[in-house]
């Protein structure tokens, strides 16, 4: 059974690239959202296994959306994504109710599977 993923990002360009990339590598993208409110609605509707959540949504922070997503879907793994290096956001990521962080340039089905298979304290990608 493949991993069911919701991608939350306000960049149409990123969504157009990420969806086929993940699907080619065995991750089933069940939906996309571009705002926090849309992410909450889609998460409740679709019950994804993982939510890829951009740190920088237009007009809002993924860090503000993450706690609400965690309450809406406690079984979903929330993974923050960003074009910023992890070193720049490490403390924010570590304080958030998320499984981890993937840099957008390093996004792949394998990187996502590796992160989801890792336990607490495992290195982020």
């Amino acid at each position: 059974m493949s991993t069911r993923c919701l991608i939350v990002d306000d960049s149409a360009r990123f969504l157009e690239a990420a969806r086929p990339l993940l699907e080619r590598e065995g991750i089933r993208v069940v939906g996309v959202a571009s705002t926090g409110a849309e992410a909450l609605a889609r998460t409740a509707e679709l019950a994804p296994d993982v939510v890829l959540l951009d740190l920088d949504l237009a007009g809002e922070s993924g860090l503000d959306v993450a706690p609400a997503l965690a309450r809406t879907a406690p079984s979903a793994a929330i993974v923050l994504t960003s074009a910023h290096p992890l070193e720049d956001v490490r403390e924010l990521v570590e304080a958030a109710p998320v499984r981890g962080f993937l840099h957008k340039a390093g996004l792949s089905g394998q990187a996502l599977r590796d992160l989801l298979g890792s336990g607490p304290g495992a290195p982020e990608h």
Side-chain angles (χ1 to χ4, degrees):
M1 190 161 130
S2 65
T3 301
R4 301 174 75 251
C5 178
L6 173 69
I7 304 173
V8 183
D9 200 294
D10 62 332
S11 167
R13 186 172 166 208
F14 178 75
L15 292 173
E16 289 169 6
R19 181 178 209 144
L21 170 77
L22 292 173
E23 289 182 342
R24 270 194 312 271
E25 297 185 16
I27 304 294
R28 186 169 156 220
V29 178
V30 294
V32 297
S34 59
T35 67
E38 190 177 349
L40 290 168
R42 300 289 289 168
T43 298
E45 170 192 349
L46 300 170
D49 301 313
V50 63
V51 178
L52 281 180
L53 176 61
D54 187 19
L55 273 172
D56 298 312
L57 297 171
E60 60 189 321
S61 168
L63 293 167
D64 294 334
V65 176
L69 281 173
R71 286 189 301 274
T72 299
S75 64
I78 301 168
V79 176
L80 292 171
T81 63
S82 180
H84 299 289
L86 177 59
E87 296 74 36
D88 292 355
V89 295
R90 183 179 301 275
E91 289 181 19
L92 298 172
V93 170
E94 289 174 353
V98 299
R99 178 71 63 93
F101 174 89
L102 284 174
H103 191 277
K104 286 184 176 185
L107 181 64
S108 70
Q110 188 60 52
L112 186 56
R113 279 189 292 277
D114 288 348
L115 181 63
L116 295 174
S118 63
E124 290 90 5
H125 298 86

